[in-house]
Amino acid sequence: MGTRCRFVREQRHVCGDNYMEIDLYPISEREKGASLSAKRRQASSRIQQNLNARNARRYFIQLLNANFTESDIHWTGTYDDAHLPDSIEQADHDLELFLRRVRSQSRKRGLPAPRFIAVTEWREEGNGLPAVRVHHHVVLSCGLSRDELEGLWYRGASAGPRQAEPDGAASTLPPAGAATGRPVLRSKMEPNGDKGRGKDKERLGITNADRLQFDRESLERLANYLTKYTNRKRRWRQSRGLEKPQRPRPNDGKYTRRQLERLVTSGAVFDSEFWRRKYQGWEINDITPIQNDVTKEWSIYLKLRRTVPRRKSAVFAKPRKS
């Protein structure tokens, strides 16, 4: 027989200045009496457990909101027929070179080291679905202009794949699809598809850099766009030093199990004014009540935005370590 849950924990996930998520869920007496480090471990394990697409997307949303602002960029790089890579390793290397150029140009200009989350996406033909050509998305914070970023998408003379990835660490983001297989590729490189540097460099395909568009102080719409196709394959990478969502000390005495049950069964859980009073200075973006199939107890998950935004520029904020 499982331990009966007698208390409700409030766990906050603070993601930057203007976005926060709050979990309200039942806990046992033993969990309530655990040490602070044990409580923090439990909060992290709840985020990482069952690494499925839903939890991957949730962490992705939190990570984006903790690190990027309206000053930052969503960059997309594609391939035309003449420059389609012959392997996923070649596509990875093309992205690595782009990020290396961004880093180099930033250093020459005396700008802070760029911060990024990058996604390479593709789908092979099969199961009645058409192929999707390999392409890249990068959410990027740097001081370069959009035109400058678009001008860095090209392939040089020595564009063979390499093993090292000095521009970014291996990502901790769980992929929504498998990270193996091959993208939609050419059988071999065109003879003139890869020229030297300088005047001979050739753009690999269409590239576009746009300012990030926040919806109610959140990048959830962008995160959903980048992860919505579960039948596509993806590879992730991110720069070192990204800020993780902050999880302050949990509060185990603010709510009761009976209160959560009454909120849900009466429909008051969807009363924005109730939550506005509970969390002054914050406005509700989303409310999701979930009932446990076994214990029949309720949990409530909130997404909130700050009423008066305090967003700062990520590009000209205090310098970060390279």
Side-chain angles (χ1 to χ4, degrees):
M1 181 179 296
T3 303
R4 179 177 174 81
C5 294
R6 300 179 56 187
F7 304 94
V8 170
R9 173 161 295 169
E10 177 204 63
Q11 179 64 64
R12 302 189 184 202
H13 309 268
V14 181
C15 309
D17 289 332
N18 301 306
Y19 180 80
M20 176 171 65
E21 296 184 5
I22 299 177
D23 302 344
L24 307 175
Y25 56 92
I27 60 170
S28 66
E29 188 170 3
R30 186 182 67 176
E31 291 172 315
K32 182 179 185 297
S35 66
L36 178 57
S37 59
K39 290 178 179 179
R40 285 176 173 166
R41 285 196 300 271
Q42 188 205 38
S44 297
S45 66
R46 285 179 64 88
I47 296 300
Q48 296 298 328
Q49 67 185 350
N50 301 326
L51 296 181
N52 55 25
R54 178 177 176 272
N55 287 330
R57 185 179 295 115
R58 184 188 186 194
Y59 184 71
F60 190 28
I61 293 168
Q62 292 180 353
L63 199 63
L64 287 176
N65 283 303
N67 289 278
F68 301 99
T69 76
E70 291 97 337
S71 300
D72 299 328
I73 299 294
H74 173 210
W75 175 90
T76 304
T78 67
Y79 294 93
D80 58 30
D81 291 340
H83 298 94
L84 204 58
D86 60 353
S87 68
I88 186 59
E89 289 74 24
Q90 177 68 66
D92 278 346
H93 185 57
D94 289 335
L95 179 59
E96 177 190 332
L97 289 179
F98 167 78
L99 294 169
R100 191 179 298 173
R101 292 173 191 130
V102 173
R103 189 185 184 102
S104 175
Q105 291 298 315
S106 297
R107 187 184 299 114
K108 290 178 182 178
R109 300 265 295 275
L111 298 170
R115 295 177 296 122
F116 65 85
I117 298 175
V119 183
T120 298
E121 184 179 49
W122 74 95
R123 183 174 65 207
E124 299 165 330
E125 185 176 4
N127 298 321
L129 296 173
V132 174
R133 183 174 293 199
V134 63
H135 58 283
H136 309 280
H137 296 276
V138 181
V139 182
L140 177 67
S141 176
C142 73
L144 302 181
S145 71
R146 289 180 286 176
D147 287 342
E148 288 173 315
L149 290 172
E150 291 174 356
L152 297 178
W153 183 232
Y154 62 88
R155 188 179 293 150
S158 57
R162 298 170 59 180
Q163 298 299 320
E165 294 186 358
D167 291 288
S171 175
T172 58
L173 287 174
T180 59
R182 297 173 64 87
V184 183
L185 305 164
R186 296 172 55 208
S187 58
K188 62 180 181 178
M189 298 294 297
E190 290 287 345
N192 298 323
D194 189 12
K195 295 190 176 182
R197 298 179 180 180
K199 295 181 180 179
D200 292 331
K201 64 186 180 185
E202 293 185 2
R203 180 171 291 188
L204 297 178
I206 295 175
T207 177
N208 189 59
D210 290 319
R211 293 290 180 194
L212 291 180
Q213 299 292 318
F214 280 73
D215 179 24
R216 298 188 297 174
E217 295 302 316
S218 174
L219 288 170
E220 182 170 359
R221 180 176 295 181
L222 174 61
N224 289 337
Y225 170 72
L226 295 180
T227 59
K228 66 180 179 180
Y229 295 108
T230 58
N231 54 18
R232 294 184 184 180
K233 295 180 180 180
R234 296 181 181 87
R235 287 189 174 183
W236 307 80
R237 70 171 70 188
Q238 66 187 59
S239 56
R240 294 180 175 89
L242 290 184
E243 294 183 6
K244 295 183 178 180
Q246 299 300 308
R247 300 187 180 96
R249 186 188 189 105
N251 186 339
D252 296 341
K254 190 169 184 176
Y255 299 91
T256 67
R257 291 186 303 117
R258 194 176 300 275
Q259 184 180 14
L260 258 60
E261 184 176 357
R262 284 199 303 263
L263 281 170
V264 176
T265 56
S266 69
V269 67
F270 298 108
D271 181 3
S272 296
E273 185 58 36
F274 171 83
W275 299 111
R276 206 176 289 126
R277 291 194 301 268
K278 284 286 188 181
Y279 303 102
Q280 295 183 12
W282 295 86
E283 188 77 21
I284 286 291
N285 275 4
D286 185 70
I287 304 166
T288 305
I290 296 178
Q291 187 177 36
N292 186 290
D293 292 335
V294 177
T295 66
K296 304 303 180 183
E297 293 182 305
W298 287 96
S299 300
I300 299 174
Y301 299 92
L302 307 173
K303 297 177 182 178
L304 306 95
R305 68 186 184 277
R306 192 177 292 278
T307 308
V308 181
R310 296 189 305 169
R311 194 167 300 285
K312 302 174 184 178
S313 170
V315 174
F316 300 104
K318 63 180 180 180
R320 298 172 182 269
K321 294 181 180 180
S322 301

